[in-house]
Amino acid sequence: MSLRLPAIAAVLAFAALLGGCHNAKALLPPNLRPPSENTGDALKLAQLQLMQATPCCSSFADFSYRSMLPWQPQKFVLGSGSMVANLNGTQSYFLAFRLPVDVKLPYKVALKSELNGRWLHASYLFAPTVVLLDEGFQPIRSEDIGLCEHMGWSDETSGAFGSLEVDSKQARYLLVYSSAEQQSGKTYWEQSPASFSSSTAASLQMNSAGSFSIPHGPDGALWVGMMNKTYEKALANAICKKATKGDGVLNTLRTALPLPWSNDSKTGHSPP
């Protein structure tokens, strides 16, 4: 009997330990839990929801352009509840704006897409396509905006940045949507955990190192408005693609600043 008591106590202790682990996992905040195995589920669900929506517009003249382009980037959330267009056989959420007529040309429109998801591996971006239209709703220019990643010290300076230059006197309207090419594309993303603000780090869980290709999706948060200094600086320092691998710091310095004893610095004369 005395030998069975320690065995029973060990079993009970092990069961309590398992229960504690289970409870600890249940109490762990959602943003600290690992992503589910099917990380593409959210993207597939968003794509299905878009395809099932009834489009309101199929030509550029169908849109309402009553909203003026914001004088600085403003956040718009595209997704469930947003109006849907069907352009060139592709369904997309959209934004439509009137352009200012008393602004000196050329000027720039800033765009920034936020990561849609808690985990980098399970996130996607709304990649914008922009169309400039004249007063007769005829397209002047259409462009898929390339996005470049910048992680700053605040949420305002963190995201995937892009811009459009307006240089036509005939430009009166701006339509923002996502083309088929954009929705099937990807954006290069390089992690920089050291530059995260506390609020950004709390909302997006990253690994300590590495780079990824973030897929584009049908919905998400998009900032649109006239370019300001904050966005201009972020875009100037943004990462658009993987850097070309160099020969190393020492080789670079040796090329830029030849050392006195190197072969490159010798002139053929012996030192006195």
Side-chain angles (χ1 to χ4, degrees):
M1 182 68 179
S2 59
L3 294 177
R4 294 177 59 187
L5 288 176
I8 295 174
V11 171
L12 291 176
F14 183 69
L17 181 62
L18 290 178
C21 291
H22 177 76
N23 291 335
K25 184 178 180 180
L27 293 174
L28 199 63
N31 62 329
L32 295 181
R33 299 175 192 171
S36 62
E37 294 181 2
N38 298 320
T39 54
D41 286 352
L43 178 55
K44 291 178 181 178
L45 182 61
Q47 292 169 337
L48 179 62
Q49 187 176 42
L50 174 62
M51 292 303 298
Q52 292 177 341
T54 301
C56 68
C57 317
S58 57
S59 70
F60 296 129
D62 294 337
F63 298 90
S64 172
Y65 300 93
R66 290 179 295 179
S67 298
M68 176 66 75
L69 179 71
W71 289 104
Q72 63 180 5
Q74 179 179 329
K75 183 177 181 178
F76 299 89
V77 179
L78 300 172
S80 179
S82 302
M83 298 184 73
V84 175
N86 188 312
L87 296 172
N88 300 318
T90 300
Q91 298 209 157
S92 174
Y93 301 110
F94 67 89
L95 299 168
F97 303 101
R98 286 185 295 115
L99 294 176
V101 294
D102 54 352
V103 177
K104 183 180 178 180
L105 297 173
Y107 62 88
K108 288 187 176 181
V109 177
L111 301 106
K112 185 189 79 169
S113 181
E114 293 184 355
L115 283 173
N116 195 341
R118 285 280 195 179
W119 294 81
L120 188 63
H121 285 286
S123 296
Y124 59 88
L125 296 165
F126 180 90
T129 299
V130 295
V131 184
L132 284 175
L133 304 162
D134 63 18
E135 61 182 7
F137 307 110
Q138 297 301 309
I140 298 173
R141 189 167 92 245
S142 178
E143 184 177 333
D144 286 339
I145 301 298
L147 298 174
C148 301
E149 172 253 336
H150 184 263
M151 299 303 293
W153 291 103
S154 67
D155 291 339
E156 185 180 8
T157 57
S158 298
F161 291 79
S163 67
L164 170 76
E165 183 173 274
V166 179
D167 56 3
S168 173
K169 294 181 180 179
Q170 285 71 44
R172 292 292 181 270
Y173 307 107
L174 177 69
L175 179 68
V176 183
Y177 74 107
S178 190
S179 68
E181 289 77 10
Q182 286 285 67
Q183 291 188 39
S184 61
K186 294 182 178 181
T187 290
Y188 176 76
W189 198 276
E190 186 174 281
Q191 296 191 69
S192 305
S195 66
F196 293 164
S197 67
S198 57
S199 59
T200 303
S203 62
L204 181 66
Q205 298 302 310
M206 315 284 276
N207 292 332
S208 59
S211 58
F212 305 86
S213 291
I214 303 296
H216 297 166
D219 60 3
L222 184 71
W223 295 71
V224 185
M226 297 285 287
M227 181 71 75
N228 60 16
K229 291 184 179 179
T230 299
Y231 273 61
E232 188 174 22
K233 184 177 180 180
L235 187 57
N237 293 287
I239 301 171
C240 302
K241 60 182 179 179
K242 190 171 184 178
T244 304
K245 189 175 181 180
D247 296 327
V249 176
L250 292 179
N251 284 334
T252 302
L253 289 176
R254 200 173 286 124
T255 302
L257 300 170
L259 299 175
W261 58 83
S262 67
N263 294 330
D264 295 338
S265 64
K266 291 181 179 179
T267 61
H269 298 284
S270 300

